[in-house]
Amino acid sequence: MTRHNQRLDALAATVEQLRQDLALAQESTDARALIGIATGILVERGHGGPTEAAQHLETLAEAARLPLLELAADVVNAASGDAVTDVLPPTARNAGEQGAPGAVLRLRAAEAGSLSSDPQSAAESLLDQALAPLGADALALWAAGQDGALVLAGHAGFPRGEAERWRYVPPGVGTLAQRVLVERKPQWYGSLPAGTLGIGGRTAGARAVLPAESAGRILGVLEICWPHPQPPLTPATTRQLDALADLCAHTLPGADMAGNATDQRPDDAVNALGELADGLLDPALVLLPLIDGQDAVSDFRIAHTNAHFTDLAGRPRSAVTGMSLLEAYPLTAREGGLYEHVVRVHATGEPFRSQRMALGTLVADVPLSTVASVGMARFGDGVLLTWRVESETTRLAELLQHAQRLGRIGGFEENLVNRQVIWNSQLFSLFGLPPTSSPVPLERLHKHAHPDDSVAIGRFLRTLMHHRHSASTAFRLQRADGVVRHIRIVAEPVTGPVGQLVAVRGAYQDVSSQHWTEVALAATRDRLADSEQQSAERNRLALQLQQAIMPPSPPAVDTSGLRVAVRYRPAEEGHLVGGDWYDAVVLPSKMVMLAVGDVAGHGIKAATGMVVLRNALRGLAATGAGPAQLLGWLNSVAHHLTDQVTATAICGIYDPDTRQLRWARAGHPPPVLVRDGEATALPLPGGILLGAMPEAPYEEHLVTLKADDRLLMYTDGLIERRDLSVQQSLEHLLSIAQGPATEDTELDKYLDQLLTHSRSDTDDDTCLIGVHLR
């Protein structure tokens, strides 16, 4: 074993020696290459041929008492004088330190590769020469497309299949590179955020995303990947990555045009864009960027104005053409103003449109503002800017479009903020009013309609204003000249940014001349008359049957210290006669039966089903059976002896001697017990609704009542709301039911109070039984 270890140690020593030799050879190669570059610079400066230049370099090193390698690095850096040299860290610029020549050479090689015309070669060179020493393992070079799209121009470190999958990224995907393209500033992610979407499919690691910019235009994005999370970048590394991103811009499409100065642009390109502006019907400007000494956009020159151009300050076209944008319109430099959008469109190539934008200008040092719809787009290196000033004519034209879209004759718009009402000319004629009169607001529409149509108009306004839904209705318009017209109105609400109602727009239609409609309506009205009469007769019979058996406020039951009061509230709509029922009766055994139920449906069928179940339960209770057994028998009655009747119910048997209440339920809401001022819902025993299946088991629960306890049994019409869950509605009932115990004489008032404060909105019958134990 010892001999084996000795062999491994010898092999490891040999490998280490070879590694050191390789590193020395690499450093020697880098040094020779650096000296060769410095020698070439001296040859270019007239120091003879290569031999003479090399000897001159050695002489300079001896005279300066510097190592030859350090002097060579100084010559190369002094000759470059560019951004690459500036971003080198001090240890790399100091050629006398170990490893510095390799850093200089790697960055120089990366620069040379990025300046090639092939983005793929540039990407490979950047990763190999400049980014791999920083720990990066992959990069993607994106070219900016139209409307925020990205095209993968070059890549390195990614599998070929992954690169092909990300060859094109459509607008709006939301990758890290697209965010930088929109925000126009570099981003550093020391660790990738959750849900990151982008090339590589990585969920860990670090990433630097930088815009590739040239002459103020963002031509693409450089995306650099690290396999593991990284600490924040140092300022020197940040400057180095920014310089490399700008170098990459030279390889992307559009770099040649972005690199030209404004005065070097071909005149035919400007003329072509000017011809495009001249073909537009709206005012238009052709803007060309002005580049400063830092290769950045400082302003835009107004190179052309079309024939429809009208200066906001009243100046002629010749006075504005040739001026810079900020010089002609300094107020556009405000935050979020026009100039900011022009810069973004020029940098990203993404068009911009706004239906309402404030355009400001100075007239005799007085700021004036105009609202207009604005559009701009980049063409080559120029930006075409158009606008359309908002006017009364434009607003009326839009109003007419709304009227046409809704298919009506007279259009209107009512602003609910400033109470301004706008009508078109046809609507004044329809109402028989002169054009100089004031339009009729919706809240006063009933004053111009037949009195019998006021209800329909009120329902129309509630749907439109309160519920904020599109609505329509018909009414008879009574004009001042005595003419009566049949009018149909249709309207829709307009909401603001936070959902508030700000306006209503719509149209009126005159249907008086449509004789065939009147004939059809008359015939339909005759046919409906019989149906309505029959329906009203059925509803009247059902209501009489219901009221005969279920009076709204029957006399209270007072026995054995137990006071029972009942309230019944029928549905508001007469045709919605329901099947809610209740019962409170003293049995032959001196026990008290309490029951409440709800038959599904409305009308005569529900009312007759309620009568059958209520009378059947009262007869079955005389047998002395418990509530679970009673509901089991009642389920058989509902399933076999009625015509497909289903119902929910609660049945309780109270024993005055023990003060115990045995109760069972069939799919019904739980009773509420109010004790010591606190209201709680009783736990629910098992049991499905009546009539659902032939045989069904029902469970019993037992509750012992105390003095001053109140027990509430009710149907779902007391608590149901369309916009709340059953549990939320029950919690509201508990909140209004709690409170100190009342006197016997106040139990009726207590039940009336519960009915008054219930927030149900389903327009259903309601039964409520209140029990107070003294």
Side-chain angles (χ1 to χ4, degrees):
M1 187 68 178
T2 302
R3 181 175 299 175
H4 179 69
N5 289 339
Q6 291 175 349
R7 291 177 179 175
L8 288 178
D9 292 341
L11 180 60
T14 302
V15 172
E16 180 62 26
Q17 183 61 42
L18 291 175
R19 184 182 295 110
Q20 293 178 2
D21 293 343
L22 181 60
L24 290 174
Q26 181 65 42
E27 291 180 5
S28 178
T29 302
D30 292 342
R32 288 196 301 271
L34 182 59
I35 294 172
I37 294 175
T39 301
I41 293 173
L42 293 179
V43 171
E44 183 184 4
R45 293 182 177 180
H47 292 280
T51 303
E52 292 80 359
Q55 292 175 354
H56 182 66
L57 184 63
E58 293 177 359
T59 302
L60 291 176
E62 292 176 359
R65 297 182 180 180
L66 292 174
L68 180 61
L69 191 59
E70 182 176 347
L71 182 61
D74 289 341
V75 171
V76 173
N77 290 336
S80 61
D82 57 10
V84 175
T85 303
D86 293 337
V87 301
L88 283 173
T91 56
R93 290 198 296 267
N94 186 356
E97 296 186 12
Q98 184 179 3
V104 174
L105 288 174
R106 285 195 300 271
L107 199 54
R108 288 298 169 191
E111 178 189 14
S114 65
L115 292 177
S116 67
S117 59
D118 181 13
Q120 180 60 34
S121 300
E124 295 173 354
S125 176
L126 284 177
L127 180 62
D128 182 53
Q129 301 294 337
L131 298 177
L134 298 178
D137 66 338
L139 70 84
L141 180 55
W142 304 95
Q146 292 293 329
D147 298 332
L150 290 175
V151 178
L152 187 62
H155 62 89
F158 294 111
R160 180 178 298 274
E162 179 70 10
E164 289 296 331
R165 192 165 67 92
W166 288 91
R167 181 61 60 186
Y168 174 77
V169 181
V173 176
T175 64
L176 299 181
Q178 285 181 322
R179 295 179 191 174
V180 168
L181 185 65
V182 173
E183 297 173 2
R184 301 172 55 210
K185 59 183 180 180
Q187 295 290 344
W188 165 252
Y189 302 93
S191 59
L192 289 178
T196 297
L197 181 64
I199 188 171
R202 304 183 181 186
T203 58
R207 193 160 297 194
V209 191
L210 311 102
E213 187 173 354
S214 177
R217 279 182 54 188
I218 298 178
L219 303 179
V221 178
L222 177 63
E223 189 170 356
I224 307 170
C225 306
W226 280 261
H228 306 291
Q230 299 291 320
L233 297 176
T234 63
T237 304
T238 301
R239 290 194 301 272
Q240 182 176 346
L241 296 182
D242 288 338
L244 293 177
D246 291 340
L247 289 173
C248 290
H250 293 284
T251 69
L252 297 174
D256 294 338
M257 181 171 291
N260 293 333
T262 302
D263 55 0
Q264 295 176 339
R265 291 185 179 86
D267 292 337
D268 55 352
V270 177
N271 294 335
L273 191 53
E275 292 175 358
L276 177 61
D278 290 337
L280 301 177
L281 298 178
D282 293 326
L285 296 176
V286 175
L287 303 175
L288 297 178
L290 298 174
I291 309 301
D292 60 15
Q294 303 297 323
D295 200 30
V297 174
S298 60
D299 201 346
F300 289 85
R301 180 171 63 90
I302 302 177
H304 182 78
T305 58
N306 68 353
H308 298 283
F309 170 79
T310 301
D311 180 55
L312 301 178
R315 294 169 292 188
R317 292 174 54 194
S318 57
V320 176
T321 304
M323 298 177 64
S324 71
L325 182 61
L326 294 179
E327 178 187 2
Y329 304 104
L331 295 184
T332 60
R334 293 173 176 173
E335 183 178 358
L338 183 69
Y339 181 79
E340 180 178 316
H341 294 291
V342 173
V343 172
R344 180 179 294 275
V345 169
H346 177 264
T348 64
E350 183 177 356
F352 171 79
R353 288 173 293 273
S354 175
Q355 293 298 324
R356 291 178 57 84
M357 173 177 278
L359 302 180
T361 187
L362 292 174
V363 179
D365 295 332
V366 177
L368 297 180
S369 181
T370 302
V371 177
S373 58
V374 177
M376 61 185 76
R378 189 182 74 193
F379 294 88
D381 202 31
V383 174
L384 181 62
L385 169 63
T386 65
W387 69 87
R388 180 180 299 173
V389 176
E390 185 180 80
S391 62
E392 185 67 16
T393 302
T394 303
R395 296 181 63 186
L396 291 176
E398 293 178 352
L399 186 60
L400 179 59
Q401 291 177 0
H402 292 310
Q404 291 174 346
R405 178 173 61 87
L406 295 170
R408 300 298 181 259
I409 296 176
F412 71 92
E413 181 176 288
E414 183 169 341
N415 190 314
L416 300 181
V417 179
N418 57 21
R419 297 299 177 181
Q420 182 182 11
V421 182
I422 299 176
W423 277 12
N424 62 3
S425 58
Q426 291 90 340
L427 203 49
F428 286 98
S429 175
L430 180 64
F431 272 70
L433 299 174
T436 56
S437 61
S438 299
V440 178
L442 291 176
E443 61 182 9
R444 290 171 44 204
L445 182 60
H446 65 281
K447 295 182 179 298
H448 297 261
H450 192 280
D452 293 345
D453 297 333
S454 298
V455 175
I457 293 176
R459 187 183 302 113
F460 162 80
L461 293 178
R462 283 194 300 272
T463 303
L464 185 65
M465 303 289 194
H466 180 67
H467 299 291
R468 300 181 184 179
H469 295 313
S470 299
S472 64
T473 191
F475 66 97
R476 285 162 289 181
L477 176 66
Q478 293 183 329
R479 301 187 350 175
D481 56 5
V483 176
V484 176
R485 291 184 178 273
H486 292 268
I487 301 296
R488 180 173 179 80
I489 180 174
V490 59
E492 62 182 8
V494 180
T495 56
V498 295
Q500 77 278 19
L501 186 64
V502 297
V504 174
R505 61 191 176 200
Y508 292 86
Q509 178 187 16
D510 183 0
V511 296
S512 302
S513 60
Q514 301 179 5
H515 179 71
W516 63 269
T517 302
E518 294 295 338
V519 173
L521 287 176
T524 303
R525 191 178 298 112
D526 292 340
R527 290 194 297 269
L528 289 178
D530 294 338
S531 299
E532 290 176 354
Q533 183 177 0
Q534 295 174 5
S535 177
E537 185 67 19
R538 289 195 299 269
N539 291 335
R540 185 180 62 81
L541 293 176
L543 185 60
Q544 290 177 347
L545 177 62
Q546 185 185 61
Q547 292 176 345
I549 301 176
M550 307 287 293
S553 299
V557 176
D558 194 347
T559 179
S560 304
L562 191 72
R563 180 174 177 82
V564 182
V566 179
R567 287 293 181 273
Y568 175 75
R569 182 177 64 188
E572 294 184 6
E573 298 290 341
H575 66 280
L576 295 179
V577 176
D580 288 18
W581 55 274
Y582 62 86
D583 205 358
V585 60
V586 179
L587 301 176
S589 61
K590 303 303 180 183
M591 294 187 179
V592 180
M593 183 189 75
L594 304 172
V596 65
D598 184 2
V599 176
H602 296 88
I604 190 67
K605 181 179 179 181
T608 55
M610 172 267 294
V611 173
V612 171
L613 294 183
R614 182 176 183 271
N615 292 340
L617 181 60
R618 176 172 284 197
L620 292 171
T623 62
Q629 182 63 62
L630 291 177
L631 289 183
W633 289 337
L634 197 62
N635 176 68
S636 299
V637 172
H639 188 79
H640 296 291
L641 302 181
T642 60
D643 184 15
Q644 298 179 346
V645 169
T646 58
T648 64
I650 284 182
C651 179
I653 303 296
Y654 175 72
D655 187 345
D657 295 334
T658 62
R659 293 192 170 185
Q660 290 182 334
L661 176 70
R662 291 184 298 153
W663 67 284
R665 63 178 282 271
H668 205 80
V672 173
L673 177 64
V674 183
R675 176 174 291 173
D676 297 330
E678 183 178 355
T680 58
L682 296 181
L684 291 174
I688 66 172
L689 76 165
L690 303 173
M693 52 191 307
E695 303 291 336
Y698 294 92
E699 298 178 358
E700 280 187 12
H701 278 188
L702 179 67
V703 58
T704 301
L705 300 181
K706 298 181 181 180
D708 289 331
D709 279 355
R710 284 174 289 171
L711 185 69
L712 302 175
M713 301 169 66
Y714 53 91
T715 58
D716 55 10
L718 182 67
I719 62 172
E720 275 191 343
R721 285 189 60 86
R722 297 182 179 91
D723 57 346
L724 295 178
S725 66
V726 175
Q727 182 61 35
Q728 291 173 318
S729 300
L730 180 59
E731 290 174 357
H732 175 70
L733 175 62
L734 296 178
S735 67
I736 63 176
Q738 62 187 4
T742 60
E743 299 295 334
D744 290 350
T745 56
E746 296 181 352
L747 182 59
D748 294 317
K749 295 181 179 179
Y750 175 66
L751 297 185
D752 292 336
Q753 180 182 1
L754 292 179
L755 287 176
T756 300
H757 293 282
S758 68
R759 298 190 301 180
S760 61
D761 64 354
T762 56
D763 195 23
D764 199 1
D765 289 12
T766 299
C767 284
L768 176 62
I769 297 180
V771 178
H772 183 204
L773 181 64
R774 291 175 292 180

